[in-house]
Amino acid sequence: LDRELRVDGDVREKRRTMRDKTSTSKHIPDSKLPKVAVIGRPNVGKSALFNRLVGGNRAIVVDEPGVTRDRLYGRSYWGDQEFMVIDTGGVITLSKSQAGVMEELAITTTVGMDGIPMASREAAIARMPSMIEKQAVAAVEEAAVLLFLVDGQAGLVAADIEIADWLRRNFSHKCIILAVNKCESPRKGQMQALEFWSLGFTPLPISAITGTGTGELLDMVCSELKKFEGLEGLDDVEEDENRVPAISIVGRPNVGKSSILNALVGEDRTIVSPVSGTTRDAIDTELTTVDGQKYKLIDTAGIRRRAAVASAGSTTETLSVKRAFSAIRRSDVVALVIEAMACVSEQDYKIAERIEKEGKACVIVVNKWDTIPNKNNESTTHYEQDVREKLRVLDWAPIVYCSAINGNSVEK
């Protein structure tokens, strides 16, 4: 996995260099680029197609449903046209039962949730599909082109028909391209795509893994995307864009990393839930402050002890932790989040060691400070002594006490 992540970084760097050499246009900020959203039911290969379009392995791809939950953005280009691709979680149809949804999304009620009451646990899990769907809907609303992905090997299913009806009913004013994935053979792919004509869109057989048909798909996407005009005022953009500081938010599961990101951006950018391990990919988000300063915020998956990850035997969690470490490596500043009531654990020390080893600037964020009862001035002093003693390797890092849910001291 370490080797794959290194190769992934090399691929992205080469791709960026190639684009800079071939593209004569100015470097446009991510927020100004047109967006293309990839949507569909779970396990049709949306993340694999996302990786194919943006280059490298940005999204975690595992052969199990429900791996992607948040919106994941990546920059792509085809010819002289640049655009943003949005990977989304699978849209679950409302006709399914809660037990069926839990089984389809492979959501567990046990791992890392021992301290949460069973009623809260079940309520959080019941809300998960609607939260994933909400993120997908947000991506669809902001996108100019919608890539509706279906599974050519599984054939047409009821969920595809429901999603097609939903798109036609609510987003008929947008360009919708129907891509039939997992059609590795061009000749057989045409046969696999035949039954999808009934959805009312022209099906295009592709394979996200081998790349079959993706060139034709990109031609269709770019023909729909309008070329950008009015970029005269962006002469200095390239210089500024290259200096955007990256800030990764790391820590153990359930300490409130996603809540902090949402509080900073001022919107529900990532799913927040008491279910441990809700965030899986490293989610990059652009933030522009009131004074015009740009930052790249990276929300990461919770990092559990190596032994706990190994004993769980989950490929998804292993990849999530690797992405979190990779995020530390590519950031300028790391916000190490610890939970106020839980105090500092051995795992927090291990993460602190990793940050120090990578030579990164760091801020220690004590989240959920509002949960400490009977606070006074001495509480902060005693807590700081405890943090300094237990996180000796980061004794130089400033400490911020905040509550992401209430928004208290988040601006600090």
Side-chain angles (χ1 to χ4, degrees):
L1 286 170
D2 277 333
R3 186 182 61 79
E4 281 186 14
L5 283 169
R6 281 199 299 275
V7 169
D8 173 32
D10 295 342
V11 167
R12 280 211 295 275
E13 193 56 47
K14 284 178 185 172
R15 193 176 162 89
R16 195 177 295 115
T17 307
M18 193 188 306
R19 185 198 64 203
D20 292 343
K21 284 180 181 174
T22 55
S23 176
T24 55
S25 62
K26 300 183 184 76
H27 185 91
I28 305 166
D30 291 356
S31 56
K32 303 275 187 184
L33 286 173
K35 296 178 178 65
V36 178
V38 186
I39 60 162
R41 60 186 179 82
N43 222 30
V44 293
K46 296 183 295 299
S47 294
L49 179 61
F50 174 83
N51 286 343
R52 166 69 59 179
L53 295 181
V54 303
N57 291 318
R58 284 284 307 283
I60 293 176
V61 177
V62 180
D63 189 17
E64 61 183 53
V67 171
T68 305
R69 291 171 177 176
D70 299 287
R71 282 172 283 159
L72 194 61
Y73 289 74
R75 198 175 177 112
S76 182
Y77 72 97
W78 185 248
D80 60 349
Q81 178 71 56
E82 280 196 283
F83 52 94
M84 294 295 289
V85 186
I86 315 174
D87 185 22
T88 64
V91 178
I92 301 289
T93 53
L94 299 173
S95 54
K96 294 202 179 239
S97 67
Q98 184 185 327
V101 166
M102 283 174 59
E103 187 180 340
E104 187 162 345
L105 288 183
I107 296 174
T108 175
T109 58
T110 54
V111 176
M113 297 182 69
D114 306 327
I116 301 172
M118 183 58 78
S120 305
R121 221 184 277 190
E122 289 177 348
I125 288 162
R127 285 197 305 271
M128 183 68 73
S130 63
M131 287 172 151
I132 294 172
E133 197 165 295
K134 189 178 172 186
Q135 292 287 320
V137 170
V140 169
E141 286 175 344
E142 66 177 326
V145 175
L146 309 179
L147 290 183
F148 176 23
L149 203 62
V150 292
D151 187 339
Q153 291 183 3
L156 184 63
V157 298
D160 295 328
I161 298 169
E162 284 195 35
I163 295 169
D165 289 342
W166 172 68
L167 288 173
R168 197 180 292 106
R169 197 165 52 247
N170 299 296
F171 303 101
S172 57
H173 60 287
K174 298 196 176 195
C175 168
I176 301 169
I177 299 173
L178 175 62
V180 184
N181 194 25
K182 305 182 185 179
C183 297
E184 279 71 30
S185 163
R187 188 182 301 172
K188 193 179 174 185
Q190 293 293 340
M191 299 296 293
Q192 288 173 300
L194 280 177
E195 62 177 320
F196 292 99
W197 279 95
S198 61
L199 292 176
F201 306 107
T202 305
L204 176 67
I206 66 162
S207 170
I209 298 297
T210 63
T212 305
T214 49
E216 191 179 341
L217 176 68
L218 283 165
D219 287 338
M220 291 175 68
V221 168
C222 291
S223 67
E224 294 295 334
L225 295 174
K226 293 183 175 65
K227 295 287 188 291
F228 273 87
E229 296 175 3
L231 295 174
E232 304 81 42
L234 297 177
D235 295 332
D236 302 325
V237 162
E238 184 162 8
E239 194 178 347
D240 294 339
E241 188 78 6
N242 290 338
R243 286 205 303 267
V244 174
I247 304 165
S248 59
I249 306 169
V250 302
R252 292 182 293 118
N254 255 14
V255 292
K257 299 181 294 299
S258 297
S259 299
I260 287 173
L261 177 77
N262 288 345
L264 288 169
V265 236
E267 63 165 295
D268 290 339
R269 177 63 185 83
T270 53
I271 294 175
V272 174
S273 168
V275 178
S276 290
T278 300
T279 305
R280 281 157 167 189
D281 289 291
I283 313 293
D284 291 19
T285 306
E286 271 193 359
L287 170 69
T288 307
T289 57
V290 183
D291 58 359
Q293 174 64 52
K294 290 181 181 176
Y295 298 99
K296 183 198 283 182
L297 301 176
I298 311 170
D299 185 21
T300 62
I303 304 170
R304 292 201 299 159
R305 290 183 301 112
R306 186 190 294 266
V309 174
S311 63
S314 167
T315 311
T316 307
E317 186 176 7
T318 307
L319 287 168
S320 297
V321 172
K322 290 289 182 186
R323 294 289 157 90
F325 286 144
S326 177
I328 293 174
R329 200 173 304 128
R330 64 191 173 95
S331 61
D332 301 297
V333 181
V334 180
L336 172 58
V337 185
I338 58 178
E339 190 177 348
M341 285 292 280
C343 297
V344 181
S345 69
E346 185 185 348
Q347 181 60 11
D348 290 322
Y349 181 75
K350 294 280 187 190
I351 300 170
E353 274 189 325
R354 185 65 173 246
I355 295 167
E356 200 273 337
K357 182 183 173 187
E358 295 286 353
K360 301 298 178 183
C362 181
V363 177
I364 298 168
V365 182
V366 181
N367 192 27
K368 307 184 186 179
W369 187 241
D370 56 318
T371 59
I372 299 284
N374 307 319
K375 291 190 295 292
N376 54 36
N377 292 336
E378 288 186 5
S379 304
T380 311
T381 308
H382 291 316
Y383 205 96
E384 180 163 351
Q385 285 174 354
D386 187 55
V387 170
R388 294 295 180 207
E389 189 180 317
K390 291 178 178 173
L391 297 180
R392 296 179 299 281
V393 291
L394 296 179
D395 57 0
W396 42 267
I399 301 174
V400 177
Y401 302 90
C402 73
S403 171
I405 297 295
N406 301 336
N408 296 339
S409 302
V410 172
E411 71 280 355
K412 287 186 183 177

